[in-house]
Amino acid sequence: MLGNPFAGLRITFSLAALEDTKERLFPTSRHRSRRIHKKLVKRFGGEFKRVPCMWKTPAGIIAHPAFKDQLEWALSQEAL
């Protein structure tokens, strides 16, 4: 493959490309104080589970590095 491996499409890989899911990391409670909620968020790293994702922007695509192999494979199959 010559030149840009992504066929001229600007792709930026970032570990921050994560989206929230609806799956909670700790159970919800109506009676939990804000102070305890803050401590739980600090312990679990957030309230909801986060998964890798890709965003399309006018400047190109921002993707999590977990998608790098899939993108390279798809573009190599398209070039055939």
Side-chain angles (χ1 to χ4, degrees), residues 9-22:
L9 181 65
R10 180 181 203 111
I11 298 180
T12 305
F13 293 99
S14 172
L15 292 174
L18 298 169
E19 69 178 340
D20 289 337
T21 61
K22 293 186 179 197

Side-chain angles (χ1 to χ4, degrees), residues 22-27 40-41 44-50:
K22 293 186 179 197
E23 182 181 349
R24 291 182 168 274
L25 294 173
F26 55 90
L40 288 171
V41 167
F44 288 99
E47 188 170 354
F48 296 97
K49 185 177 179 181
R50 299 184 70 144

Side-chain angles (χ1 to χ4, degrees), residues 26-63:
F26 55 90
T28 185
S29 173
R30 292 185 306 145
H31 306 292
R32 183 176 291 136
S33 69
R34 295 184 84 180
R35 181 179 65 88
I36 298 300
H37 183 269
K38 183 178 175 182
K39 288 183 177 190
L40 288 171
V41 167
K42 186 175 181 180
R43 178 183 299 162
F44 288 99
E47 188 170 354
F48 296 97
K49 185 177 179 181
R50 299 184 70 144
V51 294
C53 70
M54 293 194 315
W55 296 314
K56 184 177 178 184
T57 64
I61 294 177
I62 300 173

